[in-house]
Amino acid sequence: MDSHPGHLVVVLTWLAVVTHGLPAQAREAPARGGDEPIAYAAVPEFWAEIERLLHSGLEFHRTNHGVIGAAPGEREKILQANRAALHRLKGVSLPQIGDFRRVRVFSTPTFPQFSLLGYLVCEEPGAWTIFSSRWRIERVARVKHTRIEPSVVNAEIDAALKMAAVVQADRGRTAYQPIEAPAALKDGHNHFNRRFLLFDAAYLAFATGRHEAVEPLLRAAFYQHAEMLVELYDELAWRQFESAVLDLNQGARRAILAKRFQRIADEFPEGRYLEQATDYARKLKQMALEEPEGTPPKARSTTDDLVKSLIYQLRECDAAQHMQPGACWIPGVFQPVEGPGANAADLLILEGFDAVPALIEALEDSRLTRSYGFDRDFAPWRYVLEVRDAAVQSLVVLADERFSGRIYHPNSTGRYFSNDTPEARAAAVARVRRWWDEAQAMGEAAWLRSRLPHAGQSRPMLLRRLVRVEHRKALPDVRKWLAEEKHNRTYSYQLLLRAGGAEAIDEVRAAADPEVMPFEFAALFALNREGHLKREEYQSALLRASEKIAAFEPEKVPPQVLSALIETGDRECALLVAQRLRGGRPNFDRSMRWALARIDEPAIAAEVAAYLLPLFDDAKTATNSGWRNYFEGERDIYRVKDDAAFLVNKLLDRPLPNFADLTPPERDAEIEKLRKICTARGIRPAFALRPSP
C-alpha cells in the first residue's frame, strides 16, 4: 500500500458478522432510476467558517511536495491560494445528510469483514440503499451474512478529533501504522490514505450539529494538507461526476441526470469536468425529450424495422470497462453472443450485412449510451461512450477486423472513436466505406467465405452468419469447421443442426448416443441447447454416458460434463460427480469445485457435503491453490481441507461467515465448528480417506 506523508492509513476492520436488520425509516424507497436520493444545497455557513479560519492564523505543516520550508512568504502564498480556491467553492452545493441515519453496512458475504460507512437512504425487503463515504449511492442486497448496524456519529467525530490531535502533535512522523486508525472511522471506501478524510469529518460534524468539532478538524486538515482547498474544488466535482456516471450506467432517468450534470457545470465552471458535464447535460436533456422513457418498442415486422429498433437501443447498452489498461467494449468480447446476455450491438452483429448501412449512418450519432470507460479506475476520469462508439465497434467486429486495426483502432488508453480527433474519425469512416464497397461487390456469402481460411476466434461468428444467409448451402463449411475444431465443438454442432435440418439432427443424435462409440458430449449438449431433446432424454443420456466413461477412464470426464451433470438438478447426476471425490486430492481440482458449487437444492447439497467431509483431514496444499497472506514467515497457502470446508459452508447455506481471509489456525477452528454443524444435521463422512502414500 502506498503512503502519503502525514496521512493516516485507514484500513478495514476485521469483524465477524451475522445477519440482522435495522428498523426502517419512514421513507419510501426510491425507484430504480428515480430522483436523486440525496439533495444537494448551498452551505454558506460552512464555507464562512473556513473563511474565518483562513484569517485566524492557521498552521501548515505539509504540502504535496513535502514539509513546508522557512522561506519568506511561503505561508502567505499558501494562504492566498486557499483564499482564491475558497472564492470558487462558495457556490458549491454539498449533500444534505443531517436528516438521515448514520449506519455501517457489512455488504459482502464473501468478505464479511468489509464494511461501508454511510447514510441509510431507504430500507427495502431485499436491499439497503446508502449514501456512502465516497458520496455516491450504493445499493446493497440483503442476503445471508450481510448486515446493517447503527453507527454513532458522535463516536466517529470524537475519533476524528483524537486523530486530528495526533496529526498535529507528532511533527516527526511521516506516516502512521494501520493499527493506529480509529476503529470508528475504518471503512471500505477510505482504507487508503484519504487526503480529505479530516475535511469530510469536519463536514460531518457541521451537518450533524457538532459545531464545536468543526474548527479543530479543519485546522488539522489544513495542517496535514496545506493546499487542501486548491485540490478540494476538483475533488468535490469528481464525487458528483463519478456518481452521476455510475447512476447512468445503472439505468437512472436521463432527465434527472441532465440536471445533475448541469449542476456540476454550473458550480464548477473552472473545473476539469466542465466540458464533459456540459456536453452530457445537453445530450441527456435532449434524449429525454425525444421519446418518453419506458415507451414500448414499436412492432418490428421487417429486417429494416428490426435494425432501426436496435440502432435506437444502442443508447441503452450499459457496458463497463473491467480491465486496466484497456477500454470499454460494448459488443460482447467473445462473439457470437446469443440469448439473454446479448445487447443491441450483439444483435446488430447477428444481422450481418443487413445492419451495415444503418451502422455507418450511426457513426455520426453522438447521443450517449449507458456505457463508460476509464484510464485507470483509481484516476478521477470517466468517459461515457456514445452511440457512434457502439456503431464503430460493431462494424469492427462485423468486418472481422477486431485485431488487425485496419478499420479503427484507438492509439491510447481512454481514447474512443467519439473523443478521437476529427481527422482520425474521418479516416476511420473512409476505411469503413472502402471495406463496405468491396464487401458489397463480393456479396455477403462470398465475403464470409473469404474470411474463413484465416479466421481464428471469429470463425464461429462468421459461420453463424453464413448459416443464416445460405442455410443448407453452408453445410460443407460447417462440416469443415467441425472436422478441425477441437475446443468449441458444441457450437459447431449447433450450427450443423441449424444448417442441416432433419438429416443433421439424425447425424448429431448418432454422435450423442451413449451406447455407440465414439461418443461425443458436445453433440449431446448441442441437441439440448437447440431444443431437440426433452429434458428427460437429455438427463438420461448425460448420466449414462458419464457412467460409461467414468467406469473405464474417470480422468477423461471433461470439466464441462461435471458442470452439466450438476446443472440438471438431478440427485443421481450430482452424486455421480461427488463419487469422484473417493479418489481423494487429485480429483478435488478447480473444475470439481466449480461444478459442486452450482448445487442449490438443500437435500442434494447435504448429501454431497458428506463426500467432502473426509477431505477436512487433508492438510496438504490444494490443487490450483493461491496464497493469501504471509503467516509466520511462510506463504499462507490454501490446503485441501480449506477448500473442502469453504465448499461445504456454501452448500449448507453458509452457517458460518466466510473465513477465507483468516490464518490457518483460525481456519482450523472454523473447520471444526463446521464439522460439528454437519454432525448436528446428521451429515456423516461418505467414505474414509485413504492415507497418502
Side-chain angles (χ1 to χ4, degrees):
M1 180 185 297
D2 296 334
S3 62
H4 298 277
H7 293 168
L8 184 64
V9 180
V10 186
V11 297
L12 301 175
T13 308
W14 304 119
L15 300 170
V17 296
V18 295
T19 302
H20 72 267
L22 188 73
Q25 292 191 195
R27 195 182 294 275
E28 291 186 2
R32 184 176 185 267
D35 291 352
E36 191 172 11
I38 295 285
Y40 277 71
V43 286
E45 299 88 353
F46 182 65
W47 299 122
E49 176 67 12
I50 294 178
E51 186 171 29
R52 184 185 67 78
L53 286 177
L54 289 175
H55 292 85
S56 65
L58 275 176
E59 187 177 2
F60 303 126
H61 182 54
R62 303 191 67 84
T63 69
N64 288 339
H65 307 291
V67 176
I68 296 172
E74 185 171 357
R75 181 180 179 280
E76 188 58 33
K77 287 179 182 178
I78 293 172
L79 276 173
Q80 290 299 330
N82 277 308
R83 287 167 184 160
L86 180 61
H87 179 72
R88 297 189 298 170
L89 285 165
K90 285 182 178 179
V92 171
S93 301
L94 295 180
Q96 303 303 290
I97 54 179
D99 292 336
F100 291 89
R101 181 179 298 149
R102 188 73 167 169
V103 295
R104 183 182 292 276
V105 182
F106 296 84
S107 59
T108 311
T110 50
F111 294 97
Q113 300 88 354
F114 180 92
S115 67
L116 298 176
L117 276 172
Y119 285 94
L120 181 64
V121 175
C122 75
E123 185 173 23
E124 304 166 81
W128 297 293
T129 302
I130 67 166
F131 183 71
S132 74
S133 57
R134 288 177 70 173
W135 291 16
R136 69 189 193 195
I137 293 297
E138 307 273 352
R139 189 176 173 86
V140 179
R142 299 178 67 168
V143 296
K144 194 164 189 177
H145 297 308
T146 60
R147 68 168 175 150
I148 187 169
E149 61 182 30
S151 180
V152 181
V153 173
N154 284 332
E156 291 183 45
I157 295 170
D158 290 342
L161 287 168
K162 290 179 181 178
M163 187 176 79
V166 171
V167 166
Q168 289 180 286
D170 201 346
R171 294 173 179 269
R173 296 282 294 277
T174 58
Y176 293 85
Q177 296 300 316
I179 197 171
E180 296 177 274
L185 297 178
K186 292 178 180 177
D187 170 29
H189 274 349
N190 65 12
H191 60 286
F192 295 109
N193 293 308
R194 283 191 57 202
R195 192 181 302 277
F196 301 101
L197 184 61
L198 288 172
F199 169 85
D200 288 344
Y203 181 66
L204 175 65
F206 171 83
T208 55
R210 283 286 303 273
H211 297 291
E212 83 287 354
V214 174
E215 179 176 338
L217 288 170
L218 286 173
R219 285 188 178 277
F222 277 111
Y223 180 85
Q224 183 187 41
H225 179 34
E227 298 163 318
M228 179 180 71
L229 295 186
V230 178
E231 295 186 13
L232 185 64
Y233 186 76
D234 277 335
E235 167 69 15
L236 295 181
W238 164 243
R239 293 184 188 186
Q240 293 193 44
F241 185 83
E242 182 197 29
S243 177
V245 169
L246 293 176
D247 287 351
L248 173 64
N249 178 254
Q250 293 297 312
R253 291 171 54 203
R254 292 185 177 89
I256 298 300
L257 288 167
K259 295 178 182 178
R260 290 170 62 180
F261 282 116
Q262 189 60 55
R263 183 178 69 218
I264 296 168
D266 292 343
E267 296 187 358
F268 300 93
E270 300 174 52
R272 66 172 67 173
Y273 307 105
L274 173 64
E275 184 178 347
Q276 277 184 284
T278 302
D279 184 50
Y280 293 174
R282 176 181 57 80
K283 289 176 178 176
L284 290 169
K285 182 178 179 180
Q286 181 59 40
M287 292 174 73
L289 293 173
E290 286 176 356
E291 184 174 348
E293 296 182 47
T295 301
K298 296 180 175 65
R300 299 173 297 194
S301 56
T302 67
T303 299
D304 287 345
D305 290 337
L306 174 60
V307 168
K308 184 178 180 180
S309 175
L310 291 172
I311 291 290
Y312 182 85
Q313 289 301 316
L314 287 175
R315 67 186 63 193
E316 300 299 334
C317 290
D318 56 358
Q321 182 175 334
H322 295 294
M323 296 181 66
Q324 52 183 339
C328 176
W329 191 258
I330 292 178
V333 175
F334 299 105
Q335 292 288 337
V337 179
E338 299 181 356
N343 61 26
D346 297 319
L347 297 175
L348 283 163
I349 291 167
L350 174 62
E351 296 304 312
F353 278 25
D354 291 335
V356 171
L359 284 168
I360 292 176
E361 184 179 345
L363 293 176
E364 303 297 327
D365 192 338
S366 62
R367 295 177 181 88
L368 300 179
T369 68
R370 295 185 181 274
S371 304
Y372 72 94
F374 46 78
D375 181 3
R376 298 292 189 274
D377 62 357
F378 51 81
W381 182 81
R382 299 291 181 268
Y383 185 76
V384 178
L385 277 67
E386 299 176 2
V387 169
R388 52 183 167 176
D389 294 308
V392 79
Q393 290 177 357
S394 300
L395 285 164
V396 166
V397 175
L398 273 169
D400 191 27
E401 298 284 5
R402 171 112 193 253
F403 299 104
S404 71
R406 283 191 289 266
I407 283 184
Y408 178 71
H409 182 73
N411 59 12
S412 64
T413 300
R415 179 70 68 190
Y416 295 92
F417 181 76
S418 58
N419 66 359
D420 213 332
T421 64
E423 295 77 14
R425 288 200 299 270
V429 171
R431 288 192 292 270
V432 169
R433 293 189 183 280
R434 283 197 299 272
W435 163 77
W436 180 228
D437 289 343
E438 295 170 4
Q440 273 185 300
M442 294 178 67
E444 186 169 12
W447 180 84
L448 289 166
R449 286 194 173 92
S450 74
R451 304 298 297 179
L452 287 174
H454 308 290
Q457 182 180 305
S458 62
R459 180 178 279 194
M461 177 197 70
L462 297 169
L463 280 169
R464 178 184 67 172
R465 182 59 189 169
L466 187 61
V467 168
R468 287 197 66 182
V469 171
E470 290 205 326
H471 306 292
R472 290 186 65 85
K473 289 183 181 179
L475 268 174
D477 305 276
V478 175
R479 290 188 188 283
K480 185 175 187 301
W481 181 41
L482 184 59
E484 299 171 354
E485 180 62 29
K486 295 180 180 179
H487 304 291
N488 198 4
R489 294 188 61 77
T490 296
Y491 195 69
S492 61
Y493 272 117
Q494 286 181 254
L495 291 184
L496 181 63
L497 289 166
R498 295 176 192 179
E503 178 186 339
I505 294 175
D506 292 339
E507 179 183 342
V508 179
R509 278 185 177 274
D513 186 350
E515 304 305 323
V516 178
M517 290 295 169
F519 166 83
E520 193 158 3
F521 281 108
L524 183 62
F525 295 155
L527 287 167
N528 184 52
R529 291 181 184 178
E530 294 297 309
H532 295 296
L533 287 178
K534 295 179 180 177
R535 183 177 182 275
E536 296 76 14
E537 283 184 282
Y538 169 68
Q539 187 171 301
S540 174
L542 180 63
L543 184 60
R544 283 184 290 131
S546 302
E547 288 174 336
K548 196 168 185 179
I549 291 178
F552 297 99
E553 297 179 291
E555 70 281 357
K556 292 295 182 67
V557 180
Q560 62 267 35
V561 175
L562 300 178
S563 293
L565 286 163
I566 295 298
E567 287 167 2
T568 64
D570 178 71
R571 172 182 176 274
E572 194 174 355
C573 289
L575 292 181
L576 177 65
V577 175
Q579 287 278 356
R580 299 188 73 226
L581 292 173
R582 291 181 180 276
R585 187 187 319 132
N587 288 347
F588 189 48
D589 57 9
R590 182 179 296 161
S591 61
M592 173 66 76
R593 297 198 296 271
W594 283 353
L596 295 181
R598 295 172 179 263
I599 298 173
D600 54 14
E601 207 289 315
I604 297 175
E607 286 194 74
V608 169
Y611 286 85
L612 289 160
L613 278 177
L615 301 177
F616 279 24
D617 297 316
D618 190 335
K620 297 291 185 181
T621 301
T623 307
N624 306 126
S625 177
W627 66 278
R628 304 288 296 181
N629 301 299
Y630 283 93
F631 176 70
E632 293 182 352
E634 299 293 332
R635 284 185 170 181
D636 176 10
I637 301 176
Y638 284 154
R639 304 158 297 181
V640 173
K641 63 192 297 185
D642 297 321
D643 282 340
F646 299 154
L647 188 49
V648 169
N649 195 40
K650 191 268 180 189
L651 290 172
L652 301 185
D653 194 24
R654 302 191 188 280
L656 298 177
N658 187 290
F659 48 95
D661 281 330
L662 302 182
T663 62
E666 291 170 321
R667 289 203 301 267
D668 285 339
E670 297 300 299
I671 290 170
E672 290 311 307
K673 290 180 190 176
L674 196 55
R675 200 193 299 265
K676 291 177 182 178
I677 289 170
C678 289
T679 301
R681 296 188 185 186
I683 302 172
R684 301 287 190 275
F687 61 92
L689 194 65
R690 285 181 240 164
S692 299

